[in-house]
Amino acid sequence: MNRHDRTDRPLTATRRGSGRIETKWHLPAAIDCLETEQTHVEDKLAAVGQFEDAIEEIEPVREPAARAHATDGGVTTISHRRSELNDRCRRVRALFADTVRSYSIEDVDGSEPLLETIRAEFGDEIAIALAPSTASRFTPPVKQAIRSATRQRREELETMARTLTQERESLESTAGELEQVAAATSSMDPASLLELGFDELAERHENLETQRERCRRLCRKRQTQIHQRVGRLSRDDLAEFLYSDLSVSYPVLATAIALSRRCLDSQRLVRDHLVRRV
């Protein structure tokens, strides 16, 4: 996901760490990744709020950039110096650097110009309005445009925060169910099959089928979830981003499929013993 493409990345994107995390069933590590991102989004949301409040304290420039007055020799035009024109815009840039910027550049390799970071967060219009090279002034329309862009960014982050909460609840619930499947299958010692009668073997086969169906149901539910959308992002893209440090892109599906295969292997052993008793 390109951090600078606000169409593809309307909410947030920072990926800390570059190593691949290996785990047997993936979900504990997935929950760790999710918790890290939740903390980041909460911190960034607070930073955007600080920026938003600070902007309200800056009064916009209302006087014209140049004015004329009569002198003994005629009319002289007095232009404001560029530094005076840019003073409030400079304050806005400094506020952004002190609040939002650090959360925006965590996934950037090397340095990034401040205006590029502003563009990535708030769009081209705001970046151009705040650029020193344009001699822009912090006029009421500029202030309103910054307000609007900041409010939109805050709303996007709030949407992301809610989505991450939902994702965490889903992961924890699914992990609980899959742990039960794992416990049920691990308790079925293949060596004990020799001691079971036909009816007991049939019951064990049926129990394993129940666990396989449980895995299939969780896979169907998860596939439905990852085809939903979050703002302009698909849930699929979000999952790929969140779990990019894992050894698998879809930890729920990978875990459920692995457990389903374990159940199937156990069923085959049970069927072999059933055939011998016929």
Side-chain angles (χ1 to χ4, degrees):
M1 207 179 303
N2 186 344
R3 193 187 70 84
H4 297 302
D5 190 335
R6 302 186 77 247
T7 301
D8 290 342
R9 191 192 62 89
L11 303 178
T12 184
T14 54
R15 192 73 258 136
R16 288 153 296 286
S18 58
R20 304 291 281 182
I21 300 173
E22 301 288 345
T23 183
K24 187 175 182 180
W25 296 122
H26 308 297
L27 290 184
I31 292 173
D32 287 344
C33 289
L34 188 54
E35 288 176 347
T36 298
E37 192 60 28
Q38 279 185 297
T39 299
H40 172 73
V41 169
E42 290 168 2
D43 290 346
K44 186 171 184 178
L45 188 54
V48 170
Q50 291 173 0
F51 177 76
E52 192 173 27
D53 291 342
I55 290 298
E56 293 303 316
E57 300 299 319
I58 303 177
E59 287 295 326
V61 176
R62 298 184 182 278
E63 67 272 15
R67 63 182 184 272
H69 68 275
T71 65
D72 292 341
V75 177
T76 302
T77 300
I78 303 175
S79 299
H80 291 285
R81 292 176 300 174
R82 175 165 293 190
S83 60
E84 293 175 342
L85 288 173
N86 285 338
D87 181 62
R88 289 173 176 80
C89 287
R90 184 165 54 247
R91 286 175 59 190
V92 173
R93 295 195 300 271
L95 284 170
F96 179 88
D98 291 341
T99 55
V100 181
R101 187 170 191 259
S102 63
Y103 299 99
S104 185
I105 62 174
E106 290 183 358
D107 62 334
V108 175
D109 295 329
S111 61
E112 177 179 81
L114 178 61
L115 286 173
E116 181 63 22
T117 310
I118 292 173
R119 187 198 70 80
E121 292 295 333
F122 298 138
D124 290 335
E125 179 184 358
I126 303 304
I128 292 171
L130 294 176
S133 60
T134 62
S136 297
R137 296 185 303 146
F138 190 72
T139 60
V142 168
K143 181 173 182 176
Q144 184 55 42
I146 294 173
R147 277 175 173 166
S148 178
T150 306
R151 182 172 59 250
Q152 179 182 346
R153 193 67 175 125
R154 174 171 49 78
E155 290 171 353
E156 291 170 346
L157 287 165
E158 288 170 346
T159 298
M160 174 60 91
R162 289 191 297 270
T163 300
L164 292 176
T165 297
Q166 295 168 1
E167 175 73 358
R168 180 170 180 173
E169 291 171 351
S170 176
L171 280 190
E172 290 175 343
S173 174
T174 302
E177 285 204 62
L178 291 177
E179 284 171 4
Q180 293 174 16
V181 174
T185 55
S186 63
S187 65
M188 297 181 182
D189 182 10
S192 67
L193 297 178
L194 292 169
E195 303 171 3
L196 300 180
F198 184 89
D199 290 342
E200 292 172 309
L201 287 169
E203 181 180 357
R204 178 163 293 192
H205 190 278
E206 183 177 349
N207 287 340
L208 286 164
E209 183 60 30
T210 298
Q211 299 304 325
R212 282 187 66 199
E213 177 53 34
R214 198 174 191 178
C215 291
R216 288 193 289 264
R217 176 178 57 78
L218 290 172
C219 282
R220 290 193 296 269
K221 180 180 178 181
R222 186 61 177 174
Q223 286 174 327
T224 298
Q225 288 177 334
I226 63 179
H227 284 94
Q228 296 171 348
R229 298 194 67 79
V230 182
R232 293 188 292 274
L233 276 179
S234 72
R235 198 72 173 259
D236 189 10
D237 290 337
L238 179 63
E240 184 178 354
F241 160 71
L242 286 173
Y243 310 124
S244 61
D245 283 347
L246 299 179
S247 58
V248 295
S249 298
Y250 304 100
V252 171
L253 295 178
T255 303
I257 290 170
L259 285 170
S260 180
R261 287 172 177 166
R262 176 194 278 188
C263 291
L264 179 59
D265 291 340
S266 297
Q267 279 185 306
R268 287 169 177 163
L269 287 174
V270 173
R271 282 199 296 271
D272 288 342
H273 284 269
L274 281 170
V275 169
R276 294 173 191 171
R277 286 159 176 72
V278 175

